[in-house]
Amino acid sequence: MFEFKTYVLKRMNMPFTIAFVRDSFDEILVDVLNQIVNEIDKYLQNVEEKFSPFLSESLVSRHTDIGEELQDDFFDIEYQEVYSRSIIAKKETHGLFDPFFDGKYNPTGFVKGWAIENAFMKYIKPLIDNNILEAGAINGAGDMQVGTRLDSNFSWKIGIENPEDKEKIIAKYSIRNGAVATSGLSKKGHHIKSDNDINHIQVTVVGTYLSDVDVLATAGVVANEKIWREIVENKLLTGILLTKYGIKRVFEEGKITDVERT
């Protein structure tokens, strides 16, 4: 029987839930985990201070023109990583994800998943790898990076919500190590654009790293069927989407199947 310890933080205008799993927790371990959560909170605050478009002194707010002469601050390692990967994401999604969507650099659609993944790898994965925890996870507004000890029989049971009926789920995934991201019309930000009619009302992608699957799920919402099929097949994606025509479309390692009409 496993016990859970959960903590909730508020950063980037959204809740982050941190979960730890173990057979039992003593006072010393709880104190350590409290410190870990504080470190995660500081890390997320630092990410927000660098990348928030709503903070006038953030690097993103100051980087308004790709052609400007960059100051030394912009050579920050994390900033350079996000910049380069957001440009790659635009190319890999056929421009559906665009960090320059309004003429200004704004990688918000990439940063959340990237920050959750980094925080997990830096602060939680070492606890799992060193047998201090059975499992751990960080969930940011429904997108999550999870992990489990290699010799454990614990799995994360993840349900995907039906956007048309919040009391029901459309799919269940059992994951030991990996990431799940879900995007939908109600959650869609300004980092995706389409010249086509939007037919996908929700897209979930399951994979290894949240920074990757979060971008793909977001782009999947506005991709037309031809482009999305190409992305799914080329990247061997696993997940599920709902269309506005009532089709539930499952894709598993690149193979796409319509499994239900409602």
Side-chain angles (χ1 to χ4, degrees):
M1 199 70 178
F2 298 113
E3 291 185 11
F4 289 73
K5 289 287 184 185
T6 59
Y7 302 77
V8 179
L9 306 173
K10 183 70 179 293
R11 290 291 175 193
M12 307 180 199
N13 297 315
M14 70 183 74
F16 290 84
T17 301
I18 301 165
F20 303 112
V21 181
R22 189 180 153 86
D23 54 358
S24 64
F25 294 85
D26 57 33
E27 290 185 7
I28 295 176
L29 180 56
V30 170
D31 286 342
V32 170
L33 296 180
N34 287 338
Q35 294 175 31
I36 293 292
V37 171
N38 286 336
E39 290 300 313
I40 293 174
D41 188 38
K42 291 178 184 177
Y43 173 74
L44 294 176
Q45 180 181 7
N46 181 259
V47 169
E48 187 171 18
E49 290 172 351
K50 287 182 184 179
F51 297 102
S52 173
F54 306 108
L55 299 177
S56 61
E57 290 303 309
S58 74
L59 291 180
V60 162
S61 293
R62 291 157 53 199
H63 189 175
T64 57
D65 183 353
I66 188 61
E68 71 181 359
E69 182 178 349
L70 299 181
Q71 302 172 17
D72 289 344
D73 289 347
F74 293 100
F75 293 96
D76 173 273
I77 292 175
E78 287 189 327
Y79 194 80
Q80 288 297 307
E81 179 185 353
V82 168
Y83 180 79
S84 60
R85 291 190 61 187
S86 64
I87 298 301
I88 292 171
K90 178 179 179 179
K91 180 179 179 180
E92 292 186 341
T93 61
H94 301 265
L96 295 169
F97 174 93
D98 186 1
F100 290 95
F101 69 96
D102 64 352
K104 298 179 180 179
Y105 180 60
N106 184 345
T108 302
F110 175 82
V111 166
K112 181 188 72 172
W114 170 83
I116 292 172
E117 178 191 314
N118 276 1
F120 176 88
M121 296 299 178
K122 184 175 182 179
Y123 297 105
I124 297 181
K125 191 174 186 297
L127 301 178
I128 298 171
D129 292 344
N130 288 287
N131 298 327
I132 297 170
L133 293 176
E134 193 82 15
I138 303 181
N139 181 329
D143 297 334
M144 63 197 76
Q145 186 81 43
V146 307
T148 304
R149 242 172 57 186
L150 292 178
D151 61 349
S152 173
N153 61 3
F154 178 86
S155 290
W156 294 94
K157 310 299 182 184
I158 301 169
I160 307 304
E161 196 176 71
N162 185 337
E164 298 174 329
D165 186 347
K166 303 297 185 182
E167 300 300 316
K168 297 180 180 180
I169 61 174
I170 60 170
K172 293 181 180 178
Y173 294 99
S174 180
I175 300 174
R176 290 169 50 81
N177 295 278
V180 180
T182 299
S183 291
L185 291 181
S186 62
K187 303 174 183 178
K188 180 171 66 70
H190 296 292
H191 287 82
I192 48 180
K193 63 180 182 180
S194 178
D195 296 326
N196 313 294
D197 291 335
I198 296 178
N199 295 322
H200 301 162
I201 61 175
Q202 181 170 288
V203 178
T204 296
V205 180
V206 181
T208 303
Y209 301 110
L210 187 55
S211 59
D212 294 330
V213 298
D214 195 14
V215 166
L216 292 168
T218 303
V221 173
V222 294
N224 64 36
E225 187 170 343
K226 179 179 181 297
I227 290 177
W228 181 243
R229 180 174 293 275
E230 180 181 330
I231 292 173
V232 169
E233 292 176 348
N234 288 345
K235 292 186 172 295
L236 303 177
L237 296 186
T238 293
I240 188 170
L241 68 79
L242 291 182
T243 77
K244 66 180 181 182
Y245 303 110
I247 299 172
K248 185 165 74 171
R249 185 165 290 153
V250 173
F251 41 102
E252 185 171 356
E253 295 185 352
K255 296 180 180 179
I256 303 172
T257 307
D258 290 354
V259 297
E260 181 180 308
R261 289 181 179 271
T262 57

